[in-house]
Amino acid sequence: MTRLLIIALLLFLAVPARAANPQDEIKKKQSQLEKLRKEIDGYESRIKEREKKEHATLDLLDTYDKQAVLLRKLIGKLHDEELLLQRDIQITRESIGSATDRLGYLKRHYAAYVATVYRSGRLYDLELLLSSRSVNQMLIRSEYLRQFSEQRKKDLAAISARRNELQRQNELLQNQLAEQRRLITDKAAESNRLASKMKKRKAMLTEIRRDKKNFQKEIARKTAAAKEIEG
């Protein structure tokens, strides 16, 4: 009896344990493989999406670059025009100063002449006329004195009018200069805003490319895992 029990026990131990079902293992591996393939497809789709954004961002940056070049040229021209206006204003101011000096000189000269005439009761003019050698010379001297007085009045009026014209011109140039500087300020602000946009877009481009690189790494990792399962 004991011998039979020993034999039975040895036979039981000799029977191999039930092996795992190969089909279950295959299904498990297929499921893992399918999951990996879906994840790879997902990353590839995300890469394509990032590539579209990358191209759109590059196109936009190219447009911004062209705008920036045009703005720099425009601001340069505006600065050149500003310098020309400043030069014209300086010339006009010098002309105004010259006209003012000339006007002051003529006023003083004419005032002295008038004062002398009134002080002497036109005695000098009378002596000048009486000392004439002939009636013709007297008439010429009389006409000269009259023309001298009239010419001084005309000179004063002409120079005064010229100075007023120069002052109006100076005021106009000052307004143009103020407008020019306002334009320069506006365009400089526009250039700064454009630079800010470019900075943001470049940061976005860097992020897009970083995402693409990370997705490509994930694809490579999951592709290696899939090959390992397939093997």
Side-chain angles (χ1 to χ4, degrees):
M1 185 67 178
T2 302
R3 188 175 180 184
L4 288 173
L5 287 172
I6 292 171
I7 292 170
L9 180 61
L10 290 173
L11 289 172
F12 174 78
L13 293 173
V15 176
R18 184 180 179 184
N21 190 342
Q23 293 299 323
D24 292 341
E25 188 67 20
I26 289 173
K27 286 180 180 180
K28 181 181 177 182
K29 295 295 183 183
Q30 285 177 337
S31 177
Q32 291 175 351
L33 191 60
E34 185 65 23
K35 182 182 177 183
L36 286 171
R37 285 172 177 168
K38 284 181 180 179
E39 288 175 349
I40 290 171
D41 290 341
Y43 280 120
E44 286 177 346
S45 297
R46 291 164 81 177
I47 286 176
K48 287 179 181 178
E49 180 188 346
R50 292 300 188 279
E51 284 176 345
K52 287 180 181 178
K53 288 184 178 180
E54 182 181 13
H55 293 153
T57 303
L58 286 171
D59 289 342
L60 191 57
L61 283 172
D62 184 57
T63 302
Y64 284 164
D65 281 334
K66 290 175 181 177
Q67 289 177 350
V69 170
L70 292 175
L71 271 174
R72 282 194 294 271
K73 288 182 179 178
L74 178 58
I75 291 172
K77 278 189 174 182
L78 290 173
H79 277 300
D80 290 342
E81 291 172 3
E82 180 189 19
L83 292 175
L84 290 175
L85 282 171
Q86 288 175 335
R87 186 199 64 182
D88 291 344
I89 288 171
Q90 182 62 31
I91 292 172
T92 304
R93 283 177 176 171
E94 291 173 358
S95 299
I96 290 172
S98 204
T100 301
D101 292 342
R102 179 64 178 162
L103 191 61
Y105 169 78
L106 287 176
K107 280 182 177 179
R108 290 192 300 273
H109 190 268
Y110 187 67
Y113 167 76
V114 171
T116 302
V117 167
Y118 278 98
R119 225 177 14 250
S120 61
R122 298 186 66 84
L123 183 61
Y124 175 76
D125 291 347
L126 183 60
E127 288 177 353
L128 188 63
L129 292 173
L130 291 176
S131 65
S132 301
R133 296 179 181 178
S134 64
V135 174
N136 186 44
Q137 189 179 30
M138 182 181 69
L139 292 173
I140 290 173
R141 287 181 175 181
S142 176
E143 180 63 20
Y144 167 77
L145 291 171
R146 187 188 66 80
Q147 287 183 0
F148 175 81
S149 179
E150 290 297 325
Q151 186 60 44
R152 283 295 175 267
K153 290 179 182 178
K154 288 180 181 178
D155 289 344
L156 286 169
I159 294 175
S160 180
R162 175 59 179 163
R163 186 181 67 170
N164 292 338
E165 180 186 347
L166 287 170
Q167 286 174 338
R168 286 193 296 272
Q169 184 179 348
N170 181 63
E171 185 178 349
L172 177 63
L173 288 171
Q174 290 286 0
N175 291 336
Q176 289 178 351
L177 181 60
E179 177 64 17
Q180 195 76 5
R181 286 173 174 170
R182 186 190 66 79
L183 280 174
I184 290 172
T185 301
D186 288 348
K187 293 304 174 184
E190 186 177 342
S191 179
N192 290 336
R193 289 194 297 271
L194 185 60
S196 178
K197 288 181 180 179
M198 290 177 70
K199 185 178 179 181
K200 288 179 181 178
R201 287 293 170 177
K202 285 178 179 178
M204 186 182 296
L205 183 62
T206 301
E207 185 179 351
I208 289 170
R209 287 173 172 171
R210 185 174 61 244
D211 288 346
K212 277 180 58 181
K213 190 174 181 180
N214 290 336
F215 295 157
Q216 286 165 350
K217 285 181 179 178
E218 286 297 319
I219 288 175
R221 188 172 66 83
K222 292 184 183 297
T223 300
K227 285 182 179 178
E228 185 179 348
I229 292 174
E230 286 172 347

